């Protein structure tokens, strides 16, 4: 069994308290960083580790940190993104609930590395229990001298605050999050300028996901080189995967990047196979925004290679036959699920969550929801299917923030891979209201190359 | 649309204002507007919703224009702009939860409470609504109840009935 870096002590009774966390080696990285390392050395260590942002985009964290502007006389901020709203993703909630001090520890080391004297953890407002947990953990850490003035006698001061959101998926997007933190509507900003130059209150700001910040702890404890030994290729380290849908054992798992998808889905160590003895129809690998893949394509690439849980392998085949690791929110669909209904549900979600600033996103998501609704409820026309593809294309790449793409990809990929199911809804509207399409050709064997590329 | 329900003569208690005072110390001088969301949460926890009158008072407290509060309160889905039942059952209605029966749970709640989404039961005790993914898809189906956003997982029709029964017996 692989070594766990983030969840190693998750089952230790009382690990959510400072004392137990400390007894299990907690806050060592703060001592090491503040007493023996310079901020630049920490950034270098994170670069060496190859750590990539765990919030969805997978951008190298060390590089992101090195872009932070450091003008004289201006504060710098680290903001932790704990908005966790991407459907299918629930790893940050898990981490904050059960091992909150890991996030606090990571925030201290990361803030020191970036030269931030005030840092915020922006938590979605619905996670009020987690907000309470974090506030308590912060008070404990402060009491023990790990926060506040002159931490461990190093001369470094840091205040850490928890900020609640108000219920809006878009506030997970980093510039919308910054707007929200400033007490405004969560409208994404036009980039550039990037937050690294002008973020919170026009000061240089780094926004990082909860899991990214937590991963800094083992990187500092063991060294970036050790961290980089785990995983495969440019997908280094471990990753938390939130697994949901029709699985025997849904939940949060820490994997070494590079575990085969098949092993992750079917082995008893992880998800334990599809629930109720059913067969797998489709998988969304990295949160609702990434392309959905039929079972055969999630298990193997079109070149008949085993697909792995890594950034590269999941995106192998591009949008024709691949997907993305995204936030690590894996959703499994069994043979009884309706792809049209799920696509409509996701389209409804994105329409509801569009901030409304850009017309392609505001109007396009509404159109997609409407057209998918009529397909699902038996009033669709054959031309609706291409209409959806057309609307998705018109949104993609034409908006201020990536929510537009995030809304377009699930629709485009569902039609790309499950077109016959959409057509069946049009040709058999009555039947489609009574039963689902079923598994069809998606389980096995692998389709021929020509069939998946169009 | 802002609610037309009146909420006259509202005065924040000194205890509530003390909590506001604590919140605004978290931000640099002059950036107190950042306290708006946390303050609106406190107001809603106190009154069950955020009325136009309460928003005006918050604007005065933060020394910002009332419109700056309205636009925020209307943007975020957590803020109720009209009175709700004492307990608001918020059920996740997004894809992953629907794969394991969230729609059935919502239909059941509608039947049990006898009110449609967004309406309040005649005794004023309950309302319910669908909300988007609550970051708990592995424990689906799920619902939450404010103001502390207590969480109920792996819902079944039976567990929902039990929950409603338990809440009925609370004051
Ligand atoms: C619509 C949208 C929603 C997002 N939601 C989240 C989120 O809930 N949590 C998160 O960490 N990142 C989210 N992101 C990504 C952030 O914009 C940002 O890339 C991330 O917080 C950077 O942190 P990382 O480099 O540590 O991954 C979202 C992006 C978009 C476009
Ligand atoms: S793409 Fe959508 S969510 Fe993003 S800024 Fe434009 S309208 Fe808002
Ligand atoms: S879809 Fe319901 S909690 Fe995520």
């Amino acid at each position: 069994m692989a070594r766990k870096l983030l969840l190693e002590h998750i089952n230790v009774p009382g690990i959510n308290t400072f004392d137990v966390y400390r007894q299990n080696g907690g806050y060592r990285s703060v001592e090491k960083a503040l007493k023996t390392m310079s901020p630049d050395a920490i950034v270098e260590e994170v670069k060496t580790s190859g750590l990539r942002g765990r919030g969805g985009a997978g951008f190298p964290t060390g590089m992101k940190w090195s872009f932070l502007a450091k003008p004289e006389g201006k504060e710098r901020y680290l903001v932790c993104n704990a908005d966790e709203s991407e459907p299918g993703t629930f790893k940050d909630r898990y981490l904050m609930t059960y091992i909150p001090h890991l996030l606090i520890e990571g925030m201290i080391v990361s803030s020191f590395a970036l030269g931030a004297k005030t840092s915020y953890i922006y938590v979605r407002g619905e996670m009020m229990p987690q907000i309470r947990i974090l506030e308590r953990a912060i008070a404990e850490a402060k009491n023990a001298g790990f926060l506040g003035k002159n931490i461990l006698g190093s001369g470094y001061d840091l205040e850490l605050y928890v900020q609640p959101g108000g219920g809006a998926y878009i506030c997970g997007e980093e510039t919308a999050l910054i707007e929200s933190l400033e007490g405004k509507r969560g409208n994404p900003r036009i980039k550039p300028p990037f937050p690294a130059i002008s973020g919170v209150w026009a000061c240089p700001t780094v926004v990082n996901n909860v899991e990214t910040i937590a991963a800094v702890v083992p990187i500092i404890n063991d060294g970036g080189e050790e961290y980089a030994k785990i995983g495969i290729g440019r997908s280094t380290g471990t990753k938390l995967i939130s697994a949901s849908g029709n699985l025997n054992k849904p939940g949060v798992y820490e994997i070494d990047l590079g575990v085969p998808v098949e092993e992750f889905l079917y082995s008893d160590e992880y998800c334990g196979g599809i629930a109720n003895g059913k067969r797998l129809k489709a998988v969304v690998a990295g949160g609702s925004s990434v392309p959905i893949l039929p079972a055969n394509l999630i298990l193997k690439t079109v070149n008949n290679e085993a697909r792995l849980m890594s950034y590269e392998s999941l995106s192998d085949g591009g949008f024709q036959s691949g997907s993305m690791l995204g936030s690590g929110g894996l959703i499994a669909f069994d043979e009884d699920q309706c792809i049209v209904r799920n696509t409509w549900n996701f389209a409804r979600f994105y329409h509801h969550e569009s901030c409304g600033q850009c017309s392609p996103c505001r109007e396009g998501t509404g159109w997609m929801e409407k057209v998918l609704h009529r397909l699902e409820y038996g009033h669709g026309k054959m031309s609706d299917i291409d209409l959806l593809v057309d609307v998705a294309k018109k949104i993609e790449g034409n908006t201020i923030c990536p929510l537009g793409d995030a809304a377009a990809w699930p629709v485009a990929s569902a039609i790309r891979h499950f077109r016959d199911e959409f057509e069946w809804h049009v040709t058999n509207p009555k039947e489609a209201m009574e039963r689902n399409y079923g598994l069809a050709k998606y389980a096995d064997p692998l389709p021929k190359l020509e069939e998946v590329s169009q | 649309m802002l609610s037309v329900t009146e909420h006259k003569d509202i005065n924040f208690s000194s205890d509530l204002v003390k909590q506001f005072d604590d919140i605004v110390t978290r931000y640099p001088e002059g950036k107190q507007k950042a306290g708006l969301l946390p303050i609106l949460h406190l107001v809603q926890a106190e009154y069950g919703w955020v009325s136009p009158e309460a928003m005006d008072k918050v604007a005065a407290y933060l020394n910002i224009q009332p419109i700056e509060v309205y636009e925020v309160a209307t943007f975020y889905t957590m803020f109720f702009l009209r009175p709700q039942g004492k307990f608001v059952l918020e059920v996740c209605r997004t894809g992953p939860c629907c794969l394991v029966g969230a729609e059935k749970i919502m239909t059941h709640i509608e039947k049990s409470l006898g009110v449609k989404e967004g309406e309040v039961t005649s005794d004023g005790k309950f309302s319910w609504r669908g909300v988007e993914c609550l970051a708990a898809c592995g424990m689906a189906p799920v619902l939450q109840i404010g103001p502390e956003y207590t969480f109920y997982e792996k819902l079944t029709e039976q567990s929902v009935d039990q929950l409603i029964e338990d809440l009925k017996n609370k004051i």
Side-chain angles (χ1 to χ4, degrees), chain A residues 62-136:
Chain A
M63 204 188 295
K64 182 165 174 170
W65 286 10
S66 64
F67 292 155
L68 185 69
K70 295 180 177 160
E72 276 296 310
K74 238 186 185 178
E75 294 290 332
R76 279 168 250 150
Y77 292 99
L78 170 63
V79 181
C80 175
N81 188 342
D83 190 59
E84 190 161 69
S85 314
E86 171 92 356
T89 317
F90 48 98
K91 64 193 176 69
D92 299 339
R93 170 199 286 276
Y94 184 77
L95 200 147
M96 292 188 288
T97 306
Y98 296 107
I99 191 159
H101 282 283
L102 183 66
L103 175 60
I104 310 298
E105 180 175 357
M107 284 299 285
I108 300 169
V109 174
S110 307
S111 300
F112 176 68
L114 297 168
K117 296 195 198 71
T118 310
S119 294
Y120 298 94
I121 305 175
Y122 180 100
V123 186
R124 63 181 293 180
E126 294 93 336
M127 289 199 202
M128 217 47 98
Q130 284 67 30
I131 290 175
R132 303 275 179 260
I133 290 170
L134 290 173
E135 282 173 343
R136 205 186 102 185

Side-chain angles (χ1 to χ4, degrees), chain A residues 323-443:
Chain A
S323 184
M324 289 187 320
L325 178 63
S327 61
L330 182 145
I331 311 163
F333 298 71
D334 72 22
E335 56 192 292
D336 291 339
Q337 301 302 336
C338 174
I339 297 299
V340 178
R341 188 166 188 82
N342 183 72
T343 311
W344 161 61
N345 186 299
F346 280 171
R348 182 196 50 76
F349 171 82
Y350 288 106
H351 179 214
H352 183 259
E353 300 300 331
S354 167
C355 85
Q357 278 191 107
C358 333
S359 32
C361 170
R362 182 187 61 236
E363 306 299 326
T365 52
W367 273 104
M368 291 198 301
E369 177 188 352
K370 221 172 177 171
V371 174
L372 281 159
H373 185 272
R374 70 178 182 235
L375 280 167
E376 166 64 10
Y377 285 91
H379 313 294
K381 299 191 289 269
M382 215 41 113
S383 58
D384 282 344
I385 302 172
D386 285 324
L387 177 63
L388 282 171
V389 175
D390 187 50
V391 175
K393 266 202 194 112
K394 289 196 166 111
I395 301 175
E396 203 183 329
N398 292 320
T399 57
I400 293 178
C401 91
L403 186 138
D405 302 340
W409 294 341
V411 175
S413 59
I415 295 175
R416 187 180 308 126
H417 298 297
F418 300 90
R419 185 178 270 266
D420 48 347
E421 189 165 337
F422 284 83
E423 289 173 355
W424 180 75
H425 274 73
V426 177
T427 51
N428 303 279
K430 269 223 186 86
E431 206 184 341
M433 292 290 286
E434 281 153 19
R435 72 170 185 97
N436 286 334
Y437 187 64
L439 199 53
K441 63 176 190 191
Y442 307 119

Side-chain angles (χ1 to χ4, degrees), chain B residues 69-88:
Chain B
V69 183
Y70 306 158
E71 66 170 7
V72 161
T74 52
F75 182 84
Y76 296 95
T77 56
M78 287 181 77
F79 301 119
F80 296 126
L81 302 174
R82 55 180 69 83
Q84 304 289 312
K86 183 164 165 43
F87 302 105
V88 186

Side-chain angles (χ1 to χ4, degrees), chain A residues 53-55 64 81 84-85 169 172-174 207-209 212 402:
Chain A
R54 303 301 195 216
K64 182 165 174 170
N81 188 342
E84 190 161 69
S85 314
Y169 166 66
E173 194 281 332
E174 57 183 10
V207 180
N208 272 133
N209 175 255
T212 312

Side-chain angles (χ1 to χ4, degrees), chain A residues 93 120 163 184 341 348, chain B residues 26-27 76 103 132 134:
Chain A
R93 170 199 286 276
Y120 298 94
Q163 176 84 356
K184 303 181 200 149
R341 188 166 188 82
R348 182 196 50 76
Chain B
R26 301 172 188 173
Y27 319 107
Y76 296 95
E103 286 160 311
E132 302 303 343
L134 293 171

Side-chain angles (χ1 to χ4, degrees), chain B:
Chain B
M1 266 271 289
L2 288 183
S3 170
V4 288
T5 316
E6 292 196 30
H7 196 186
K8 280 246 159 57
D9 303 325
I10 147 170
N11 265 316
F12 296 148
S13 68
S14 59
D15 186 49
L16 196 58
V17 174
K18 231 170 53 216
Q19 294 182 64
F20 295 176
D21 292 345
D22 175 54
I23 285 170
V24 293
T25 62
R26 301 172 188 173
Y27 319 107
E29 198 42 51
K31 307 296 180 194
Q32 274 54 47
K33 180 176 174 178
L36 183 49
L37 270 80
I39 285 175
L40 286 176
H41 280 301
L42 287 177
V43 169
Q44 178 154 305
E46 178 84 15
Y47 299 99
W49 65 302
V50 289
S51 62
E53 291 80 6
M55 289 193 264
D56 290 347
K57 283 243 154 65
V58 169
Y61 175 82
L62 287 173
N63 198 16
I64 56 180
Q65 296 303 320
I67 183 67
E68 294 177 86
V69 183
Y70 306 158
E71 66 170 7
V72 161
T74 52
F75 182 84
Y76 296 95
T77 56
M78 287 181 77
F79 301 119
F80 296 126
L81 302 174
R82 55 180 69 83
Q84 304 289 312
K86 183 164 165 43
F87 302 105
V88 186
L89 277 53
E90 299 185 303
V91 192
C92 174
R93 62 173 179 185
T94 316
C97 274
C98 290
L99 294 181
V100 290
E103 286 160 311
K104 223 174 71 191
I105 296 294
M106 287 199 282
T107 313
H108 186 71
I109 289 177
E110 177 165 5
K111 216 176 76 202
S112 298
L113 296 180
V115 290
K116 288 205 165 45
E117 182 169 6
E119 293 174 358
V120 185
T121 54
S122 54
D123 60 2
K125 267 211 153 155
F126 294 97
S127 42
W128 73 279
R129 64 171 178 165
V131 293
E132 302 303 343
C133 179
L134 293 171
C137 330
M139 293 78 94
V142 294
L143 71 77
Q144 64 181 12
I145 302 175
E148 279 305 311
Y149 294 90
T150 323
F151 218 71
Y152 301 88
E153 315 171 347
K154 300 202 168 147
L155 299 173
T156 60
E157 293 182 347
Q158 291 74 18
S159 72
V160 167
D161 286 341
Q162 187 61 52
L163 172 62
I164 293 175
E165 225 22 69
D166 292 349
L167 292 174
K168 273 186 185 156
N169 297 326
K170 273 197 187 175
I171 349 131

